[in-house]
Amino acid sequence: MTKRSIVQIDQDRCDGCGACVNACAEGAIQIVNGKAQLINEIYCDGLGACLGSCPKGAITIVEKEAQPFDEEANKKHLELIKIKEVPSCECLSFAKNHKLNNWPIQLKLISVNASFLKDAHLLIAADCTAFSCPNFHKEILKDKKLIIACPKLDDAKFYIEKLTEIFNLNNIKAITVLRMTVPCCAGLTWIIKEALNKSDKSISFEENIIDIDGTMKSY
């Protein structure tokens, strides 16, 4: 790390209005649990374009030890949060007695810093699994946050980059992969493993496979 200029946000002053999010061309600031936060030091160039946007004066530029601004990483980050490519969708968490614990569930729609991802045990499931497994909600999904994707029909490269960022930005506790036994579905496991290899995290990983008759092969 080097000493450089970087944004600092006073959480006591911040009221979560989101004006700084729109003012930050690098996408370095996001609203997390009702407050603006610098989600990663490598996305902040320290130029302070967001300073005048805050009505509460919660944002300042400070000199401190921080990771250097990474232009290439920032480009990838911006690609992931473009509204045209990733439609906006309100992120919700539900009570523990609710069978579905979060919304949205489709990987393309989930914000990389959605609040329900923090400290989560993720169930990353192929789209077909919930329709094929009779115990999906009662047993498999229990106490997990759900992400669904299709390795055959969706953009694998995009998903690798997005999952890498999700793993890096959130303290994911464990990952359970659920896929069908058909060959194309094995791509989901490959996507997740590639993202794990590209991330700087070591996360517990388990793969479970469902046969086309609905039986679990390795759960």
Side-chain angles (χ1 to χ4, degrees):
M1 295 200 299
T2 58
K3 192 170 185 178
R4 70 178 184 94
S5 298
I6 194 166
V7 161
Q8 181 170 280
I9 303 172
D10 186 331
Q11 296 294 291
D12 291 332
R13 289 188 177 186
C14 176
D15 63 1
C17 72
C20 56
V21 176
N22 296 326
C24 180
E26 287 72 36
I29 301 175
Q30 297 292 326
I31 301 298
V32 180
N33 296 327
K35 298 282 188 176
Q37 291 188 18
L38 181 64
I39 60 171
N40 197 320
E41 291 179 345
I42 65 173
Y43 301 147
C44 178
D45 59 12
L47 297 179
C50 56
L51 284 177
S53 66
C54 182
K56 299 294 185 179
I59 301 175
T60 55
I61 298 294
V62 298
E63 290 283 334
K64 71 172 189 176
E65 293 288 331
Q67 297 181 68
F69 174 63
D70 189 328
E71 187 173 357
E72 288 303 314
N74 185 241
K75 286 180 180 178
K76 292 179 180 179
H77 171 64
L78 289 174
E79 288 175 0
L80 292 175
I81 62 174
K82 282 180 181 177
I83 295 176
K84 290 183 179 180
E85 292 186 11
V86 187
S88 60
C89 190
E90 184 179 8
C91 296
L92 302 172
S93 293
F94 304 126
K96 288 186 177 181
N97 60 352
H98 197 289
K99 291 181 180 180
L100 185 64
N101 297 314
N102 60 277
W103 187 263
I105 59 174
Q106 216 289 331
L107 180 53
K108 191 171 184 180
L109 298 178
I110 294 173
S111 170
V112 295
N113 62 334
S115 59
F116 62 76
L117 294 173
K118 305 297 182 183
D119 303 317
H121 181 162
L122 295 181
L123 173 65
I124 305 181
D127 290 353
C128 300
T129 55
F131 300 97
S132 306
C133 183
N135 295 321
F136 182 86
H137 286 87
K138 185 178 180 180
E139 296 181 5
I140 302 173
L141 184 56
K142 185 179 179 181
D143 298 326
K144 301 179 183 68
K145 302 301 181 182
L146 178 62
I147 295 177
I148 64 169
C150 178
K152 185 175 179 65
L153 301 180
D154 299 341
D155 185 342
K157 183 179 178 181
F158 174 81
Y159 280 166
I160 291 170
E161 297 296 336
K162 185 159 191 178
L163 284 171
T164 299
E165 188 148 18
I166 286 175
F167 298 156
N168 281 335
L169 293 178
N170 301 278
N171 185 33
I172 303 299
K173 298 296 187 183
I175 299 169
T176 297
V177 182
L178 187 68
R179 67 173 182 88
M180 301 299 297
T181 189
V182 294
C184 63
C185 214
L188 181 62
T189 302
W190 174 79
I191 287 170
I192 297 165
K193 287 184 175 179
E194 285 293 301
L196 282 171
N197 288 335
K198 293 185 68 174
S199 75
D200 57 10
K201 303 291 184 179
S202 177
I203 304 172
S204 172
F205 179 92
E206 178 186 5
E207 180 186 43
N208 299 306
I209 303 172
I210 300 176
D211 211 336
I212 55 176
D213 64 0
T215 58
M216 187 74 72
K217 296 186 68 176
S218 59
Y219 186 73

